[in-house]
Amino acid sequence: MRFRSDPRSVKGSIAPLMTPFTADGELDRAGLVNLVRWQLSAGSHGISIGGSTGEPGAQTIAERAEAIRIVAAEVDDRVPFLPGTGSAKLDETLELTAAARDAGADAALVITPYYARPTQEALYSWYRTVALEFPDLPIVAYNVPSRTAVDIAPETVARLFRELDNFVGVKETTKDFEHFSRVLHLCGEDLLVWSGIELLCLPLLALGGAGFVSATANIAPAACAEMYEAWQSGNHARAREIHYGLHPLVDLLFVETNPAPGKWVLEQRGLIGSGFVRPPLITPTDTGIAKIKDLMAEGERFLTATEGFTVEGK
């Protein structure tokens, strides 16, 4: 919780970890610790877990809370920790957010409540309730309309930001780039905005974004971190080179439903013992694996080295 009092320090490439499972589907605790260590070694500026890439919908609340505690302990205040704590149910969201607070998280990433399609007034009420319940914990909205069937409007974000001291930012996972601009126009750069769309990570920095929470960081954390640092230092040519160089790896992640392709890569590269994904997802098909291999070869120079972090038997 070293960064909790200064949420503006939560910037850069925040890696949204995949949740490793054993071959029989149990939480792979040692694998999760190994991923955190690899990410920190690669230079990621922060760590998250429990976002879409972490398969939260396939885990119990107890499992998600345990994963948060494992990651918090391993991060140990070396970089900001921003776990996903949202659910479709308010009681579960409050329970997980409390677990994150108690584990020492620096902020909580709260997804918009999915499936119910709440109005903007209802979304305001939802986030207001969470923020008031945890007045000392920075709250970040997670807007991902492609998965939730609801889109938090820029005006709602601005209302929350204006009225609640601990509502500090939003992770925007929408391909509507006008939406990014309207949010920042209404709120100013004091609102922290991260991109969750891989190919909009670099463009968002030009608008004054705080960084990105990109699934690409699961397989190329060093390149993602360098892209942010290159932009911030004024080396825009290098930032663009990395942006375009990452395209094949971004395509790789979505050959089939994320995170199955990325987990397959982590297993093949020895970082986790199994690429198992829980239902309703399945591991990549033979056709998918062929495409993944081609894209992996195309983007190979941006994959992060794994020496020193391969698990036993790999």
Side-chain angles (χ1 to χ4, degrees):
M1 57 186 290
R2 180 161 71 96
F3 306 94
R4 187 180 293 178
S5 62
D6 182 19
R8 295 198 64 79
S9 62
V10 189
K11 289 189 171 184
S13 177
I14 312 298
L17 298 180
M18 296 175 181
T19 305
F21 298 120
T22 62
D24 56 2
E26 297 300 314
L27 177 64
D28 179 2
R29 295 166 181 81
L32 185 54
V33 168
N34 190 53
L35 289 181
V36 174
R37 292 175 179 172
W38 182 61
Q39 287 287 338
L40 296 179
S41 172
S44 288
H45 304 117
I47 300 292
S48 181
I49 192 169
S52 305
T53 299
E55 296 175 78
Q59 299 175 60
T60 66
I61 296 301
E63 286 176 320
R64 292 180 62 186
E66 181 182 4
I68 287 171
R69 288 191 290 270
I70 290 171
V71 174
E74 191 58 36
V75 170
D76 195 24
D77 279 339
R78 286 176 285 180
V79 297
F81 177 44
L82 177 68
T85 64
S87 163
K89 296 179 64 183
L90 184 59
D91 60 339
E92 292 180 351
T93 297
L94 296 177
E95 180 181 347
L96 271 173
T97 305
R101 176 199 59 195
D102 297 344
D106 296 292
L109 182 65
V110 181
I111 195 170
T112 51
Y114 34 88
Y115 188 72
R117 307 189 72 175
T119 63
Q120 293 302 311
E121 187 66 24
L123 288 172
Y124 167 79
S125 177
W126 177 279
Y127 282 107
R128 184 177 185 275
T129 299
V130 176
L132 292 179
E133 184 73 17
F134 303 98
D136 298 324
L137 183 66
I139 302 297
V140 176
Y142 176 19
N143 189 36
V144 53
S146 64
R147 288 184 181 265
T148 62
V150 64
D151 191 5
I152 185 168
E155 292 78 9
T156 305
V157 173
R159 183 181 178 193
L160 290 162
F161 182 58
R162 187 171 58 246
E163 296 182 10
L164 299 162
D165 290 341
N166 63 325
F167 185 90
V168 301
V170 58
K171 174 189 173 185
E172 290 286 4
T173 307
T174 169
K175 293 185 178 180
D176 179 2
F177 202 47
E178 281 194 12
H179 186 104
F180 287 75
S181 185
R182 295 188 185 284
V183 167
L184 282 162
H185 181 240
L186 284 172
C187 300
E189 292 186 21
D190 285 340
L191 179 81
L192 301 169
V193 182
W194 296 268
S195 174
I197 294 293
E198 283 64 33
L199 296 185
L200 295 181
C201 290
L202 181 60
L204 176 62
L205 298 182
L207 296 184
F212 32 85
V213 188
S214 167
T216 316
N218 278 283
I219 58 175
C224 289
E226 185 188 352
M227 182 170 71
Y228 176 82
E229 292 164 4
W231 177 267
Q232 293 302 110
S233 69
N235 190 350
H236 298 168
R238 176 57 179 165
R240 282 192 295 271
E241 179 186 5
I242 296 171
H243 168 81
Y244 290 115
L246 287 174
H247 271 225
L249 300 183
V250 171
D251 292 342
L252 178 162
L253 292 169
F254 300 98
V255 164
E256 293 180 6
T257 306
N258 175 45
K263 276 191 159 181
W264 185 88
V265 171
L266 294 181
E267 180 187 10
Q268 295 301 308
R269 303 193 74 220
L271 286 162
I272 56 177
S274 169
F276 185 90
V277 287
R278 285 184 176 177
L281 302 185
I282 58 171
T283 52
T285 61
D286 290 344
T287 301
I289 289 173
K291 292 179 181 176
I292 291 168
K293 287 181 176 177
D294 288 344
L295 291 164
M296 195 169 158
E298 190 177 345
E300 184 175 12
R301 71 189 179 104
F302 289 100
L303 290 170
T304 300
T306 61
E307 284 78 8
F309 296 94
T310 53
V311 298
E312 187 175 353
K314 292 292 180 180

